[in-house]
Amino acid sequence: MKPRLRFAPSPSGYLHIGGARTALFNWLWAKSQGGVFVLRVEDTDQERSSIESVRAILDAFRWLGMDWDEGPEVGGPYAPYFQSERKAIYREHVERMISGGHAYRCYCTKEELDRQREELKARNPKAQFVYPGTCRNRTDQPDLPYVVRFKSPREGSTEFVDKVFGHITTPNAAQQDFVLVRTDGYPLYNLAATIDDHLMDITLVARARDHIGNTPQQILIYRALGWEPPEFAHLPMMLSPKGDKLSKRHTAVSVQEYRDRGYPAAGVLNYIVRFGWSAGDQEIFGLEELVKKFSWDHVNKSDGKFDDKKFADVAFEHLKRPELTPLDAYAENVRPFLAERGLTEPNARTLVAAIPGIRERARTYKDAASDLDFYFREPPELDTKARDKLLDAAGAARLVELADALAAHEPWDAAALEAAVRTWSEARGLAIKEVAQPARVALTGRSASPPLFEVMVVLGKERSLARLRRAPALLTA
RNA sequence: GGCCCCAUCGUCUAGCGGUUAGGACAUCGGCCUCUCACGCCGGUAACGCGGGUUCGAUUCCCGCUGGGGUCGCCA
């Protein structure tokens, strides 16, 4: 049977970076095995779920380049893929569990249980409240609101073999009679996930380690329903730099935030995949390569801390390498950030010519847009501090002379230009620096830029000479 | 507290009984240089502790310590 993997987000916010990692591992395994990747929306909590979140999550998936074979928008043979539309299915199986003696209706109110919980806490702050089983053996059926609870076995233990953690055994006595269905009739996570994973023929459930404790409960449900559990794989946690749970307080945690900051999607994926997984010493991977190399054998068990610097470096690596980010892709990705700066229609030829010069300088597309700015603005924005430091009247006058000298210069390529300017400078007893730095201010408006002669080539002869001749005007600008 | 899990440089990790314990990021020093970068060279830096098993443990076992997860009518 072809492997069927799934990612099942609850649409109560953006796609979290940790969630993206879980999804990625599932996606990679599905791709590499010729299997199916399913997206299922766990929206049984009506209070917290929203359609905006669904859209945000799907957008994040699209941006990351993780496509789903079944799920929202694309449908599939196991539809519907929204749990809120599957209530009838859950109800049917819950009835079966009740009549089979594996579940029961509990009429204890939340208020009542909360009160008991508090009382216990008051007497003994360390104690943990456990549902006392009040309705466990109840035979009457009062006309009152109720929840459905699982009738946990009191003896024995539940075990499973995790693809990452190996054998895990939990005594059943540690399990209380957890709730399956809420008063409002909506199923709870453990119930809905279990039923759907089975009905959707999921073969491997891969999720973060914080679900490891749910697994025995879910296995108990599978058994109660007479089903065989799928395989399980739990991933170590991605923690904040400080070592606690990753949350909004620490760093950028939503996928869209990384997009908005100008990081390349493949770089984001590359960083998170290396989190808990490795392939020898290799650090940088393209997406296709990941599909080929990913396997569960090299997934770690220990949690890790998110590192912004390492993250930035991995992303940068993707920006630098043309084999990972081809020129045209780079151009497309930087456009929105140029647009943010008001440069909505940058000359396409100039853009493509300029990118090689900035791609090893810009750590994000946002930085790239900033670095590229001067190519598309006439005159370029002037950094007056750079001007004050590097350009004076004598220097400006020299640049005009240089422009005149270069007017007849052929060919207009970097090597020839450099040779010409060096010769020109030497003839005047000037170090190249004394000409290049003022020229940089005139040509780019800044103190830092790609190599001067490359800038001149991208700018073209006409614009380069015009900018050099404008140098004296800059002094009073 | 119950249950479950984890443990190699500051961080992500390689290692699957015998290695000068490797790589990457970060950091420090240097080189390159028209600026900023990139790149290159080099340095500092780790097997938590205690017992076993073994000719030999980072590696296997046990305990301790430390860390994390989870104990909801959230997922």
Side-chain angles (χ1 to χ4, degrees), chain A residues 46-102:
Chain A
Q46 298 291 288
E47 300 273 301
R48 305 186 198 190
S49 302
S50 74
I51 190 69
E52 295 76 47
S53 291
V54 173
R55 191 161 41 236
I57 290 166
L58 298 185
D59 280 349
F61 268 85
R62 272 186 281 264
W63 178 70
L64 289 169
M66 284 193 279
D67 52 330
W68 55 101
D69 303 301
E70 297 174 21
E73 297 182 1
V74 301
Y78 297 81
Y81 292 90
F82 284 78
Q83 289 188 327
S84 57
E85 296 170 23
R86 300 172 65 83
K87 275 178 81 175
I89 298 170
Y90 307 129
R91 186 157 37 230
E92 172 197 335
H93 290 95
V94 167
E95 285 305 324
R96 202 150 65 75
M97 284 171 83
I98 294 175
S99 51
H102 292 111

Side-chain angles (χ1 to χ4, degrees), chain A residues 418-470:
Chain A
E418 175 158 10
V421 173
R422 279 185 189 278
T423 306
W424 187 88
S425 302
E426 278 164 28
R428 282 161 180 72
L430 295 167
I432 183 74
K433 194 173 183 168
E434 294 172 88
V435 177
Q437 285 296 71
R440 188 182 316 284
V441 175
L443 290 166
T444 72
R446 311 172 174 201
S447 59
S449 79
L452 205 63
F453 306 106
E454 289 175 29
V455 168
M456 291 171 75
V457 170
V458 174
L459 235 28
K461 187 170 189 174
E462 198 183 323
R463 293 173 77 199
S464 298
L465 297 184
R467 288 187 181 191
L468 288 174
R469 290 189 166 117
R470 208 185 295 126

Side-chain angles (χ1 to χ4, degrees), chain A residues 58 106-107 119 134 154 158 189 300 302 377 399 404 452:
Chain A
L58 298 185
C106 169
Y107 301 88
E119 259 179 33
T134 316
R154 289 282 150 90
T158 300
Y189 168 72
N300 278 168
S302 48
R377 226 180 274 279
L399 292 180
D404 291 339
L452 205 63

Side-chain angles (χ1 to χ4, degrees), chain A residues 11-318:
Chain A
S12 54
Y14 43 68
L15 179 64
H16 183 101
I17 187 80
R21 183 184 65 139
T22 303
L24 175 61
F25 280 47
N26 278 287
W27 184 87
L28 285 173
W29 190 242
K31 290 290 155 191
S32 72
Q33 301 303 301
V36 175
F37 179 62
V38 179
L39 218 46
R40 183 178 71 224
V41 181
E42 310 224 322
D43 56 348
T44 54
D45 187 335
Q46 298 291 288
E47 300 273 301
R48 305 186 198 190
S49 302
S50 74
I51 190 69
E52 295 76 47
S53 291
V54 173
R55 191 161 41 236
I57 290 166
L58 298 185
D59 280 349
F61 268 85
R62 272 186 281 264
W63 178 70
L64 289 169
M66 284 193 279
D67 52 330
W68 55 101
D69 303 301
E70 297 174 21
E73 297 182 1
V74 301
Y78 297 81
Y81 292 90
F82 284 78
Q83 289 188 327
S84 57
E85 296 170 23
R86 300 172 65 83
K87 275 178 81 175
I89 298 170
Y90 307 129
R91 186 157 37 230
E92 172 197 335
H93 290 95
V94 167
E95 285 305 324
R96 202 150 65 75
M97 284 171 83
I98 294 175
S99 51
H102 292 111
Y104 59 91
R105 295 185 177 82
C106 169
Y107 301 88
C108 301
T109 64
K110 187 174 190 331
E111 293 67 35
E112 193 179 325
L113 293 174
D114 284 347
R115 206 201 65 229
Q116 289 181 29
R117 196 184 320 250
E118 275 168 41
E119 259 179 33
L120 179 73
K121 288 276 183 200
R123 255 182 290 130
N124 179 1
K126 284 191 167 178
Q128 182 61 43
F129 178 74
V130 180
Y131 174 67
T134 316
C135 303
R136 188 173 161 108
N137 297 308
R138 192 165 184 157
T139 47
D140 59 332
Q141 250 183 257
D143 187 23
L144 291 169
Y146 61 87
V147 299
V148 178
R149 285 183 185 272
F150 186 73
K151 199 167 191 172
S152 290
R154 289 282 150 90
E155 275 156 27
S157 58
T158 300
E159 51 189 286
F160 65 101
V161 179
D162 189 278
K163 275 182 104 61
V164 174
F165 287 92
H167 254 96
I168 294 177
T169 307
T170 310
N172 292 149
Q175 232 63 265
Q176 52 176 313
D177 287 354
F178 54 91
V179 176
L180 259 17
V181 182
R182 312 203 289 193
T183 311
D184 65 8
Y186 274 91
L188 248 19
Y189 168 72
N190 275 138
L191 203 239
T194 298
I195 291 176
D196 286 344
D197 285 338
H198 174 80
L199 262 25
M200 292 181 176
D201 287 331
I202 299 302
T203 57
L204 169 62
V205 171
R207 76 240 294 198
R209 206 197 81 221
D210 50 355
H211 283 293
I212 219 163
N214 286 138
T215 310
Q217 299 185 353
Q218 295 183 5
I219 289 175
L220 255 15
I221 296 175
Y222 281 104
R223 301 252 185 261
L225 255 8
W227 296 336
E228 203 52 42
E231 287 195 287
F232 292 96
H234 289 89
L235 273 27
M237 304 285 285
M238 187 156 76
L239 272 18
S240 83
K242 287 184 197 127
D244 32 347
K245 235 177 164 174
L246 205 51
S247 77
K248 264 187 261 187
R249 293 196 316 268
H250 304 291
T251 176
V253 290
S254 78
V255 169
Q256 24 275 103
E257 209 166 329
Y258 287 100
R259 179 193 58 200
D260 295 346
R261 289 185 185 192
Y263 289 106
V268 173
L269 293 177
N270 193 152
Y271 178 75
I272 61 184
V273 80
R274 279 286 287 100
F275 215 100
W277 173 81
S278 61
D281 282 340
Q282 190 172 350
E283 300 278 350
I284 305 302
F285 304 83
L287 202 48
E288 313 70 34
E289 194 182 7
L290 277 179
V291 171
K292 283 198 207 104
K293 295 194 169 166
F294 179 78
S295 100
W296 295 102
D297 304 344
H298 293 280
V299 176
N300 278 168
K301 300 185 218 187
S302 48
D303 298 339
K305 297 175 189 145
F306 192 95
D307 187 297
D308 290 294
K309 293 236 176 74
K310 178 80 173 182
F311 169 81
D313 183 74
V314 171
F316 186 26
E317 215 53 56
H318 280 258

Side-chain angles (χ1 to χ4, degrees), chain A residues 273-402:
Chain A
V273 80
R274 279 286 287 100
F275 215 100
W277 173 81
S278 61
D281 282 340
Q282 190 172 350
E283 300 278 350
I284 305 302
F285 304 83
L287 202 48
E288 313 70 34
E289 194 182 7
L290 277 179
V291 171
K292 283 198 207 104
K293 295 194 169 166
F294 179 78
S295 100
W296 295 102
D297 304 344
H298 293 280
V299 176
N300 278 168
K301 300 185 218 187
S302 48
D303 298 339
K305 297 175 189 145
F306 192 95
D307 187 297
D308 290 294
K309 293 236 176 74
K310 178 80 173 182
F311 169 81
D313 183 74
V314 171
F316 186 26
E317 215 53 56
H318 280 258
L319 255 25
K320 276 187 294 196
R321 302 188 191 186
E323 70 273 23
L324 292 174
T325 310
L327 205 48
D328 54 343
Y330 198 111
E332 276 323 295
N333 287 320
V334 81
R335 275 177 190 277
F337 294 96
L338 286 169
E340 264 181 15
R341 310 177 68 84
L343 302 168
T344 50
E345 284 179 18
N347 178 285
R349 203 189 307 264
T350 303
L351 180 56
V352 167
I355 286 170
I358 58 98
R359 73 184 311 161
E360 63 192 28
R361 271 160 253 272
R363 300 178 75 85
T364 63
Y365 286 122
K366 196 174 186 131
D367 289 348
S370 165
D371 291 354
L372 254 10
D373 191 284
F374 73 85
Y375 282 118
F376 303 109
R377 226 180 274 279
E378 207 64 64
E381 260 175 27
L382 180 65
D383 173 355
T384 53
K385 271 210 237 157
R387 175 201 61 192
D388 295 346
K389 191 174 170 199
L390 302 170
L391 190 67
D392 58 14
R398 268 203 302 271
L399 292 180
V400 175
E401 288 175 42
L402 177 64

